[in-house]
Amino acid sequence: MSVGLVSSTSPDYPGVLATAINQLGAAAAPVSLAGATDAVLFPNADNLVQITATSVDAATLATPAAADLGKTLTVVGLTAHAHTVTAASGKIIDGTGTPKTTATFAAHAGVVILLQAVYDGTNYFWQLLSQQGVTLT
């Protein structure tokens, strides 16, 4: 079975979202978050979440567990609001030596973060792989 690509000019999946879909392949249908306090879920090996809320979405992200090791999570902000994704305290690591808790999206469409579930021998974390327009604190 071949995987079709999504055009970067698609009205349904603009720019960076089309790129994320193409990288993940057909198995990861986008999940839309449109509420004010959504939970970011990651049931698949590769997960694509698009925030489409018409106001700020203060989303939460659970800590990965053993069964989640290696899963990837791409979160794309598609509306011009400063959305946040908050994990448990210190469960986002980015290579700076200071674990983070919150990803704050710049208030414009096309902001994206890519995370992967990792284990350090003691604890599970979300490891930052890439981001554009997202500040971690």
Side-chain angles (χ1 to χ4, degrees):
M1 173 170 65
S2 66
V3 175
L5 296 180
V6 176
S7 168
S8 62
T9 58
S10 166
D12 295 323
Y13 304 110
V16 70
L17 181 57
T19 301
I21 292 169
N22 291 334
Q23 289 174 346
L24 294 174
V31 173
S32 292
L33 303 181
T37 56
D38 292 303
V40 177
L41 303 178
F42 43 95
N44 304 308
D46 297 306
N47 300 275
L48 177 59
V49 174
Q50 55 189 19
I51 302 177
T52 59
T54 58
S55 60
V56 172
D57 191 341
T60 56
L61 175 61
T63 301
D68 303 315
L69 189 61
K71 287 184 177 182
T72 61
L73 174 63
T74 302
V75 182
V76 181
L78 294 179
T79 57
H81 301 287
H83 306 296
T84 59
V85 175
T86 303
S89 182
K91 291 299 181 179
I92 302 172
I93 55 176
D94 62 356
T96 64
T98 305
K100 309 296 194 285
T101 301
T102 303
T104 303
F105 289 58
H108 55 268
V111 178
V112 63
I113 188 167
L114 174 60
L115 303 168
Q116 184 170 38
V118 298
Y119 180 65
D120 72 355
T122 304
N123 296 295
Y124 291 91
F125 295 93
W126 286 107
Q127 171 68 53
L128 175 67
L129 298 180
S130 179
Q131 65 83 21
Q132 183 175 356
V134 177
T135 302
L136 293 176
T137 54

